[in-house]
Amino acid sequence: MKRLLLAALVLVFATSAFAQNLPPGKWWRRPEIVQSLNLSEEQQNKLETAFRTASSDLIDLRGEVEKQNIALRGDLDQSQLDRATIRRDAQRLSDARTRLFEHELMMLVDMRAVLNDSQWERMRSQLDRFGAQQQLRPRANGRKNQR
């Protein structure tokens, strides 16, 4: 039972490394990134199109992940734990996160196709730096973010 609870808690609180490393917002419109990557207006427009194409589904999928998080938390808050229900809801959460990750990844693939190899390497370096900064940034509870 302890293993199941631990696995459920990990599912509830873990986030994908992919999402953690992306800068928030429309990074392809940020002047410092445009300059660093030397993005053309055409590339910015293509990146915007890739984002707009994926955004509606991503919003729905993030909502589904949150719904499944809430359901699993509710299961774990019960005084009488139902292993079958917890397992079912944990699987639903896992499936929702998988769908979200797959859509995020395909959006990244579409965006990657817009960048040349040099731009992609510079972008990867920026993502690595951004991820490191996020990891060091204090959270609301005063502790550093941990993956």
Side-chain angles (χ1 to χ4, degrees):
M1 184 63 161
K2 287 182 181 179
R3 286 174 122 183
L4 181 60
L5 283 175
L6 180 61
L9 288 173
V10 167
L11 283 173
V12 169
F13 297 109
T15 58
S16 72
F18 173 81
Q20 283 183 341
N21 284 343
L22 283 179
K26 297 179 179 184
W27 55 265
W28 57 93
R29 296 290 186 199
R30 291 182 174 180
E32 67 275 11
I33 293 178
V34 170
Q35 183 179 8
S36 171
L37 300 181
N38 196 25
L39 291 175
S40 69
E41 188 66 33
E42 179 184 7
Q43 285 177 308
Q44 291 176 59
N45 291 336
K46 287 180 180 180
L47 291 165
E48 181 75 25
T49 298
F51 172 77
R52 286 182 186 269
T53 299
S55 63
S56 181
D57 286 340
L58 290 175
I59 290 167
D60 292 342
L61 290 167
R62 286 183 186 116
E64 183 60 27
V65 166
E66 186 59 27
K67 286 179 191 175
Q68 297 307 324
N69 269 327
I70 291 167
L72 185 56
R73 284 184 195 136
D75 295 342
L76 295 171
D77 287 341
Q78 300 300 312
S79 58
Q80 295 291 321
L81 298 176
D82 181 341
R83 291 174 65 94
T85 300
I86 291 169
R87 185 174 286 126
R88 181 199 67 214
D89 287 347
Q91 185 60 53
R92 287 179 180 169
L93 174 58
S94 178
D95 293 345
R97 285 186 172 177
T98 297
R99 287 189 301 274
L100 175 60
F101 175 77
E102 288 171 350
H103 277 74
E104 287 175 331
L105 181 60
M106 290 302 101
M107 181 179 72
L108 180 64
V109 167
D110 292 342
M111 290 178 162
R112 166 58 179 104
V114 173
L115 304 175
N116 63 39
D117 290 342
S118 176
Q119 289 170 319
W120 175 246
E121 288 304 315
R122 287 190 302 252
M123 183 64 187
R124 287 291 310 236
S125 293
Q126 288 186 347
L127 287 176
D128 291 344
R129 281 194 303 276
F130 182 78
Q133 289 171 352
Q134 289 297 99
Q135 194 171 13
L136 295 175
R137 183 174 294 155
R139 294 189 315 213
N141 63 6
R143 295 185 347 208
K144 291 180 181 175
N145 285 333
Q146 298 174 355
R147 291 186 194 191

